[in-house]
Amino acid sequence: MALLIEKAMTVDVSAAAQTILDAATDEVTRQVRKLIGEGPLPGTPEWEAEAKDGTATDRQLAHDLTSLRIELSASLDPLPTVISLRRIGATWELIARAAGVSRQAAHDRWGRKVLAILDRYGSGELGGPVANDEADLT
């Protein structure tokens, strides 16, 4: 019995934990598609139309906001989703609303980590459509 307990306490569980996280991430995506719906296939006329009229951006935003809500409800780390949201132009206000917290609380929780990834060289240039609302919160 002591041998089993010792094994339980020392066996490397990192691969098992990663498998669980990968499955959870896949399931979040599956659930979001169930809740929000699937978009058109890339390259189709419908896909092209969504790209032109802005629906594609709205679809991605809705997908990520729903993912954030699911991840938080399931106690998963939502940082990659928050990064994605910032990359596509989501404000801290919108992220906070999805997270059910204040804008300041959302920024306090994820702001530094997001900034470290989006501005890894500290240039202050985030590029792309990242919302210009950092100064309001620092």
Side-chain angles (χ1 to χ4, degrees):
M1 179 89 147
L3 190 58
L4 288 175
I5 292 171
E6 185 60 28
K7 183 174 183 177
M9 300 305 283
T10 59
V11 68
D12 182 4
V13 298
S14 56
Q18 188 59 54
T19 299
I20 297 297
L21 288 174
D22 292 345
T25 300
D26 290 345
E27 187 60 23
V28 167
T29 299
R30 195 174 81 69
Q31 291 300 320
V32 168
R33 288 181 177 155
K34 213 167 123 179
L35 294 167
I36 298 297
E38 297 228 20
L41 292 173
T44 62
E46 295 84 6
W47 185 79
E48 296 289 337
E50 282 197 4
K52 284 182 186 171
D53 72 10
T55 303
T57 302
D58 289 348
R59 184 180 301 283
Q60 183 64 48
L61 189 57
H63 179 280
D64 287 356
L65 289 167
T66 307
S67 292
L68 175 62
R69 293 181 60 218
I70 292 170
E71 290 161 353
L72 289 169
S73 293
S75 298
L76 297 172
D77 180 9
L79 182 62
T81 300
V82 174
I83 292 167
S84 178
L85 282 161
R86 291 295 287 166
R87 273 192 170 138
I88 60 174
T91 63
W92 285 113
E93 181 69 36
L94 187 58
I95 292 167
R97 187 171 154 217
V101 298
S102 71
R103 182 175 72 136
Q104 187 66 52
H107 186 264
D108 289 350
R109 183 170 180 183
W110 298 298
R112 278 193 195 153
K113 292 175 184 175
V114 170
L115 193 58
I117 291 169
L118 295 182
D119 183 18
R120 75 180 102 188
Y121 301 112
S123 67
E125 298 294 320
L126 298 178
V130 176
N132 187 15
D133 60 354
E134 288 291 327
D136 298 343
L137 295 162
T138 53

